[in-house]
Amino acid sequence: MEKSEKVRPKVGGFPYLAECLRREGFLKNMWQLPSATSFYISEDDALVIPGKSLIDGASTCPKFNKEKLIAILRIDQAGQTTFLEFLENTWGAGVVKYEVDFINRNVIYYGLNGEEYREDYMAVKID
């Protein structure tokens, strides 16, 4: 993650972070919402990082809204949100989990009832 901070641009930097993690041996990354718990999975192990919950107590789960999610992704990709805002907005669009596949270069966002939206990201070269 430190290396990616040095090489990634402010706008469109996610593929650089993903490539740095792939080069470190991670196969995928999973995020659970609203707990904001993340898992970094390699072939032999997994690193679990507990997050700060996006909700304060019992709450209803937002319904999955693909159009809202896509709009949120475009705003984030344009560099107009922080990562915390991205997580909050994604949760607000009904995403309960998302998985980043560093090998196949895609992200799949999941709703509570099995809904999903997949988006591929571009390969980048890092020196």
Side-chain angles (χ1 to χ4, degrees):
M1 289 189 197
E2 290 175 10
K3 179 170 182 152
S4 75
E5 290 298 322
K6 295 175 185 172
V7 300
R8 68 190 257 185
K10 278 202 174 279
V11 175
F14 172 75
Y16 294 85
L17 169 62
E19 180 61 15
C20 287
L21 291 167
R22 186 194 67 77
R23 285 184 176 193
E24 288 299 318
F26 291 103
L27 305 173
K28 69 179 179 173
N29 172 229
M30 295 184 333
W31 283 81
Q32 300 287 330
L33 302 178
S35 70
T37 299
S38 59
F39 299 81
Y40 293 84
I41 301 162
S42 68
E43 193 169 305
D44 301 322
D45 209 354
L47 173 65
V48 180
I49 302 174
K52 184 177 186 297
S53 182
L54 304 174
I55 57 174
D56 294 328
S59 176
T60 58
C61 181
K63 292 188 188 312
F64 187 81
N65 184 323
K66 180 180 170 183
E67 291 75 25
K68 184 176 180 180
L69 173 61
I70 292 170
I72 287 163
L73 294 174
R74 297 305 169 259
I75 291 167
D76 184 68
Q77 290 163 351
Q80 298 174 352
T81 58
T82 66
F83 185 64
L84 178 58
E85 290 170 331
F86 167 76
L87 291 178
E88 290 169 342
N89 294 339
T90 303
W91 164 248
V95 173
V96 296
K97 173 176 88 166
Y98 70 91
E99 296 182 7
V100 183
D101 182 334
F102 298 131
I103 306 305
N104 295 306
R105 293 185 181 86
N106 64 56
V107 183
I108 303 176
Y109 300 87
Y110 297 94
L112 184 64
N113 296 309
E115 308 94 338
E116 63 181 65
Y117 172 71
R118 176 184 151 176
E119 193 160 280
D120 296 330
Y121 61 90
M122 66 180 183
V124 296
K125 294 197 185 269
I126 298 174
D127 295 328

